Amino acid sequence: MMKYIFPIIILLFNNLAGAQNDNIDSLSEFKYSQLKNKFYDYYDHNQFQHSEQIAKYYLQKAKKEKNTLEIAEGYNLIHFNKDFSVALKYVDSIAAITKDIKGNFYPARTFLIKGNLYYKNDNLKAALDSYILGLKYAKEQNDKRQIAYADINIAYINSYIGKNAEAAKIFRHYLYNRNDITDNYQHNQMRIALISCYLDINKLDSANILIQEGQISASISKNNYDISLYSFLSAKYDLKQRKYKTAITKLSKVYDDIVRINPNNANNALYNLGKAYDGLKNKEKVVETYTKLDSKVQKTDITFPELREVYTYLIDYYKEKNDKEKQLYYIDRFLKVDKKLDEQFQYLSTELPKKYDTPNLLQEKEEIINDLKNRKIILYASIGFLLLILLLVLYLYYKAKKTAIEHRKIAQELIHSIEKRNSESTTDIKKEIPELPQISEHAETENTITKTAPEEVIQFILKELETFENKQLFLKNGITLASLAKNIKTNTSYLSETINNHKGKNFTSYLNDLRIDYVLERLVKDKKFRSYKLPAIAEEIGYNNVQAFATAFKKKTGTTPSIYIKEIETQQQYN
């Protein structure tokens, strides 16, 4: 039962200010947006004389300035205060003046405004047709705001014909997705509409939560109409809970406020009040309430489906009383209302699925198909990417295995060479350990060497280097070219030249080679030394850190310390 909720009003500006008491005669100082806010303030508070004056001034100002969009908005504002026939002419004027405007709100907005006008005057067939056209043009312009308005107002019609579950989906979506309708007024309308649907489909806990939320919001904003409306919804909730006395108290209290603010909504209050009296089996009060309701329906000619229950009750009541005249009267009233409801219901039930539900389903189907296509593309791309990753991993694994085999082979050859030397009791490690091809960083060929050191100095340095090697002084941490030159009482230039020319390598390579040759043999001989962690081994032979040791070892031997040690353990285990 959604007729007490008016469809979403289509606004160009959606910020409604609080009611103000400005002098209506001094409107020239206000901008269009301010005038519009004032109009809705007065209109919402039933100050129709003031709102009509603002609407007239708005249109006059727009025509004077030849502002087409604002002229159209002026027609929109004026139509609110007019009877249906006059209001429809103003809406048609909106269509006429905006017919040549491209890429804007129109013509979608015109059809949505017209749909609201028809809805307000209980012509739901024409309202639906207008909403469908508004939706069509809104989609062509990709105007998400007006698409939302059309969806919402069509949902009101769905609720009218009893499709409350479908309508609730729309209201719930827009209630919790405020990007499409950000105005507080419209957000509040979504909450009210969703509460009504929840009550009709007996989702009472959900309805009660939203009712309490709305009551708090209305209390904070001090909106008397919303306070009364949420009290009405609370009464309907009590009615569903069979708390008939509580419902009657609430409905009786808010009835006068609802009548004053919007007389059409009073019909729904009377219907629910009658239901509450019926729950208490108070037939006289039910008849009194429903009789009052019939009187108001005749004045407004605004119907809703639940009126069938009203007239059926009255017919049965007077049948029991054997009052033929009143029985006949309410039969006539029932037939008249039922005919109108049938016409609307039959049209809406046929056209809604055809013009709205089916196109939406087709669009949804298309979106699903496209989504599945995109998912397939993403899936195939992901599979392709994963295959590339797998191939890369396999390649790296193969390369790593191949490298590991090569490293083990090198380690085995080194171990075999050292064991062979040991078996022959040879003391010169460098003669037995095969030299691997190396690139000296600073060594030069004999053809390009320029000798600057005297021969006797060179011989002296070579003798000192022999002592340096035999006493294993290269294991000392922190040895540099400068420190070694100082210890053998020469300068760095002579020492560097001698090492380059006679050792065939620069100082760094010379020092690293001595240390690595030493560690190769000791690891084979000394089981305890092999049990050390690599950082301890590195420190033992003069390196500051394990990274420097591992780099030097790999450069010298072509394998790694870990593999070398592992191969020693393996070989000695089987020997």
Side-chain angles (χ1 to χ4, degrees), residues 433-481:
I433 298 176
E435 287 286 342
L436 299 171
Q438 299 179 52
I439 299 175
S440 298
E441 295 178 7
H442 300 293
E444 301 180 33
T445 64
E446 290 185 1
N447 293 333
T448 60
I449 291 175
T450 302
K451 296 183 178 180
T452 59
E455 186 62 31
E456 61 272 17
V457 173
I458 294 173
Q459 293 303 319
F460 170 76
I461 291 174
L462 289 173
K463 186 177 179 181
E464 291 296 322
L465 290 176
E466 185 177 354
T467 302
F468 176 73
E469 295 170 12
N470 291 336
K471 291 185 177 181
Q472 298 177 345
L473 299 176
F474 51 80
L475 300 178
K476 185 178 179 182
N477 189 279
I479 296 174
T480 64
L481 181 67

Side-chain angles (χ1 to χ4, degrees), residues 298-311:
Q298 289 189 66
K299 290 179 181 178
T300 61
D301 199 31
I302 303 295
T303 60
F304 51 92
E306 291 80 0
L307 283 175
R308 290 191 177 98
E309 298 176 34
V310 172
Y311 291 115

Side-chain angles (χ1 to χ4, degrees), residues 18-19 40-48 222-223:
Y40 286 112
D41 288 338
Y42 288 125
Y43 186 83
D44 288 344
H45 289 82
N46 292 331
Q47 299 180 42
F48 300 124
K222 297 180 180 179
N223 187 316

Side-chain angles (χ1 to χ4, degrees), residues 335-558:
L335 293 174
K336 183 177 180 181
V337 169
D338 186 62
K339 181 181 178 182
K340 182 177 180 181
L341 289 172
D342 267 352
E343 288 175 354
Q344 295 210 126
F345 191 92
Q346 184 178 357
Y347 182 84
L348 297 175
S349 299
T350 303
E351 296 302 311
L352 257 175
K354 184 165 62 177
K355 294 182 178 178
Y356 180 73
D357 295 341
T358 300
N360 278 357
L361 285 173
L362 291 173
Q363 182 180 349
E364 186 176 349
K365 177 184 175 182
E366 188 67 25
E367 289 172 356
I368 290 172
I369 291 172
N370 291 333
D371 183 56
L372 290 174
K373 287 180 181 178
N374 292 334
R375 287 187 183 184
K376 283 185 179 180
I377 293 171
I378 293 172
L379 177 63
Y380 294 150
S382 300
I383 292 172
F385 179 73
L386 290 174
L387 285 174
L388 288 175
I389 294 294
L390 180 60
L391 291 173
L392 178 61
V393 169
L394 291 173
Y395 169 74
L396 293 175
Y397 175 77
Y398 168 77
K399 187 176 180 181
K401 291 288 287 185
K402 184 178 179 182
T403 301
I405 292 171
E406 291 175 353
H407 286 176
R408 284 199 299 272
K409 185 178 179 181
I410 291 170
Q412 291 165 3
E413 290 174 354
L414 286 170
I415 295 166
H416 177 72
S417 177
I418 291 171
E419 288 177 340
K420 182 179 178 182
R421 184 197 61 75
N422 289 337
S423 66
E424 295 174 356
S425 301
T426 304
T427 58
D428 190 356
I429 189 170
K430 290 179 287 184
K431 290 181 180 179
E432 295 299 333
I433 298 176
E435 287 286 342
L436 299 171
Q438 299 179 52
I439 299 175
S440 298
E441 295 178 7
H442 300 293
E444 301 180 33
T445 64
E446 290 185 1
N447 293 333
T448 60
I449 291 175
T450 302
K451 296 183 178 180
T452 59
E455 186 62 31
E456 61 272 17
V457 173
I458 294 173
Q459 293 303 319
F460 170 76
I461 291 174
L462 289 173
K463 186 177 179 181
E464 291 296 322
L465 290 176
E466 185 177 354
T467 302
F468 176 73
E469 295 170 12
N470 291 336
K471 291 185 177 181
Q472 298 177 345
L473 299 176
F474 51 80
L475 300 178
K476 185 178 179 182
N477 189 279
I479 296 174
T480 64
L481 181 67
S483 67
L484 182 58
K486 183 178 180 181
N487 287 338
I488 65 178
K489 296 180 176 58
T490 186
N491 61 51
T492 56
S493 298
Y494 288 170
L495 178 58
S496 177
E497 179 185 317
T498 302
I499 292 173
N500 284 338
N501 292 342
H502 292 273
K503 302 295 181 180
K505 60 192 77 175
N506 62 22
F507 173 75
T508 301
S509 297
Y510 169 68
L511 183 62
N512 282 330
D513 286 352
L514 289 173
R515 288 172 172 173
I516 300 306
D517 287 342
Y518 168 83
V519 81
L520 287 171
E521 183 171 355
R522 186 173 174 186
L523 285 170
V524 172
K525 290 180 177 181
D526 191 343
K527 183 176 182 180
K528 182 179 180 181
F529 186 60
R530 284 199 306 273
S531 68
Y532 291 177
K533 299 292 183 181
L534 287 182
I537 294 173
E539 185 178 358
E540 183 82 9
I541 63 175
Y543 287 100
N544 292 323
N545 57 72
V546 71
Q547 288 83 3
F549 165 55
T551 301
F553 192 98
K554 177 74 180 297
K555 183 176 180 182
K556 170 71 175 174
T557 66

